Amino acid sequence: CSLGRMITNHEDDEFVAVRVQDPRIQNEGSWNSYVDYKIFLHTNSKAFTAKTSCVRRRYSEFEWLKKKLQKNAGLV
């Protein structure tokens, strides 16, 4: 299961590519099991110090981010 999104600025040919992939069940079989995902970022944008990064995040962290964006910026 993977999906990707690329945002491009055609003026400077800068890009930000984000992939969400590799879901894994953590603590499988216990009452506190959860799924986390690998988030991989690749960019040539000057706004980012690191041009690539990779982290694992839980679904609940995406929910938290969505709520903050909706509350603070009206974005979904």
Side-chain angles (χ1 to χ4, degrees):
C1 174
S2 75
L3 58 101
R5 177 151 212 135
M6 183 175 286
I7 302 168
T8 305
N9 176 348
H10 292 290
E11 292 176 13
D12 299 324
D13 290 322
E14 290 186 350
F15 68 89
V16 176
V18 178
R19 288 195 321 261
V20 179
Q21 58 191 29
D22 190 25
R24 290 186 187 169
I25 299 172
Q26 304 296 334
N27 302 324
E28 190 170 6
S30 73
W31 65 272
N32 62 344
S33 65
Y34 62 92
V35 176
D36 67 8
Y37 302 85
K38 183 161 97 173
I39 294 88
F40 178 76
L41 176 115
H42 178 70
T43 185
N44 68 350
S45 173
K46 296 173 187 151
F48 290 82
T49 303
K51 300 307 178 193
T52 62
S53 64
C54 187
V55 295
R56 295 199 69 84
R57 294 291 181 257
R58 296 170 71 147
Y59 179 80
S60 60
E61 293 174 284
F62 290 101
E63 282 292 310
W64 175 87
L65 177 60
K66 178 184 174 188
K67 287 177 185 177
K68 289 294 183 182
L69 290 173
Q70 285 175 322
K71 181 179 177 182
N72 296 328
L75 300 174
V76 177

